[in-house]
Amino acid sequence: SDPKLTDLVARLDGSIEFEGRRVLYNWLGATRLDWRGQGQFRALTEEQEVWAVAQGYDEVVVKTKNRYYGMRGTLDSLQFDVVKLEPASDVLESKVYLSKRLGPNVLDAHRGRRQVTRA
């Protein structure tokens, strides 16, 4: 019944499987320039994934613009996959949808990274 949600599902039709699955759509935000490089965005994203798994979500979907190279690179390092490109007349304004499937393997990867960081 939410028009924005209905529009999002229509845009992702054929790119994301919704039937019988719980999909979390989240605009992750950004990190202030002077706080970048400290791992805060990664930590926040990992905590979001822990929460989403605990709530029974199967996948997280995010959207950014093509011009945000840093965000695209960060999402790549967090193992989000591009699932759809929505072209715009200005290629830099094109929207990029990315997805990450969730499950125990995601949480295991978090634990492994934390052990390496603490060592």
Side-chain angles (χ1 to χ4, degrees), residues 16-98:
I16 298 290
E17 177 62 40
F18 291 103
E19 191 67 34
R21 300 176 71 242
R22 295 190 70 200
V23 178
L24 174 65
Y25 174 75
N26 189 16
W27 182 69
L28 293 172
T31 305
R32 287 176 32 160
L33 267 176
D34 56 331
W35 291 359
R36 291 184 184 167
Q38 300 174 26
Q40 294 176 22
F41 183 82
R42 175 180 290 281
L44 181 61
T45 302
E46 288 179 351
E47 286 303 315
Q48 173 189 261
E49 291 170 2
V50 169
W51 177 86
V53 168
Q55 300 304 310
Y57 285 94
D58 300 296
E59 190 168 354
V60 177
V61 175
V62 299
K63 175 181 72 176
T64 190
K65 288 188 176 179
N66 193 39
R67 67 183 163 114
Y68 296 128
Y69 299 110
M71 176 61 79
R72 288 180 19 225
T74 299
L75 291 168
D76 178 64
S77 74
L78 292 167
Q79 299 180 339
F80 278 78
D81 297 310
V82 174
V83 293
K84 182 174 182 183
L85 174 67
E86 196 171 86
S89 56
D90 177 350
V91 71
L92 294 177
E93 292 299 311
S94 296
K95 293 177 182 149
V96 182
Y97 293 87
L98 301 102

Side-chain angles (χ1 to χ4, degrees), residues 104-115:
N105 60 327
V106 170
L107 303 182
D108 291 342
H110 294 178
R111 283 189 280 277
R113 206 171 8 263
R114 288 181 181 142
Q115 290 171 356

